[in-house]
């Protein structure tokens, strides 16, 4: 049973998020495009090299919420759609069981200024999960 949700329930995602580690800096930014769509960008940068980047869309269609990433150099540049399967005031869970990896993407708001994104699923027969903690950063 997929929850029916209004995109406004995901408004806490809007803004700029970042995590600096010794391996590089992860950034994710979201903005409201219109009443049913948020658009975002994510990138992982080490020094001056962008190691990965993706464009993100969060879209409400017919009472359902979809998370649609397009990852550079993956899936022939085609979008992959994940459907919202669970939602609460501070968590959104999107799933696509047919996708190779990840099959699940979870965003959890820890405080107003921190969140954790987790990608998880099965890869090569093994359960895997990667966590991406991020803090809110002020607009420049």
């Amino acid at each position: 049973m997929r929850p029916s949700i209004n995109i406004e329930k995901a408004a806490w995602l809007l803004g700029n998020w970042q995590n600096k580690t010794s391996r590089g800096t992860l950034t994710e930014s979201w903005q409201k495009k219109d009443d049913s769509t948020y658009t975002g960008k994510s990138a992982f940068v080490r020094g001056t090299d962008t190691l990965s980047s993706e464009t993100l869309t969060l879209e409400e269609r017919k009472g359902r919420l979809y998370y649609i990433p397009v990852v550079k150099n993956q899936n022939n540049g085609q979008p992959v759609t994940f459907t919202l399967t669970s939602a609460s005031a501070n968590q959104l869970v999107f799933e696509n069981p047919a996708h190779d990896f990840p099959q699940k993407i979870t965003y959890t708001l820890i405080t107003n200024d921190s969140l954790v994104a987790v990608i998880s699923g099965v890869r090569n027969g093994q359960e895997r999960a990667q966590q991406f903690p991020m803090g809110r950063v002020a607009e420049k």
Side-chain angles (χ1 to χ4, degrees):
M1 165 85 186
R2 293 182 186 148
S4 181
I5 187 170
N6 181 298
I7 196 165
E8 294 299 320
K9 294 241 193 290
W12 51 265
L13 263 182
L14 296 173
N16 298 307
W17 302 90
Q18 183 179 80
N19 183 15
K20 290 185 179 183
T21 70
S22 59
R23 295 191 345 238
T25 301
L26 172 68
T27 59
E28 191 163 303
S29 61
W30 288 93
Q31 58 191 17
K32 182 175 179 175
K33 180 179 175 188
D34 56 41
D35 287 343
S36 63
T37 310
Y38 295 168
T39 57
K41 289 187 175 134
S42 179
F44 186 72
V45 178
R46 182 184 299 142
T48 57
D49 296 328
T50 300
L51 303 181
S52 66
S53 66
E54 57 190 309
T55 57
L56 308 164
T57 304
L58 194 60
E59 191 172 277
E60 180 186 343
R61 294 190 301 240
K62 299 181 182 172
R64 302 259 186 259
L65 204 54
Y66 300 95
Y67 179 92
I68 309 165
V70 177
V71 182
K72 191 174 181 179
N73 301 324
Q74 288 184 19
N75 304 307
N76 297 316
Q78 296 301 303
V80 177
T81 301
F82 292 79
T83 304
L84 184 79
T85 56
S86 166
S88 68
N90 64 343
Q91 188 175 70
L92 302 168
V93 180
F94 300 91
E95 296 185 65
N96 179 339
H99 190 247
D100 55 359
F101 184 85
Q103 290 97 37
K104 183 190 284 189
I105 298 170
T106 305
Y107 281 87
T108 304
L109 186 67
I110 308 300
T111 69
N112 283 338
D113 292 325
S114 67
L115 64 74
V116 176
V118 178
I119 61 171
S120 59
V122 176
R123 177 189 270 168
N124 301 328
Q126 301 259 323
E127 271 292 326
R128 304 235 188 242
Q130 285 180 274
Q131 293 194 20
F132 302 94
M134 291 178 265
R136 190 181 296 275
V137 290
E139 298 277 339
K140 291 182 178 133

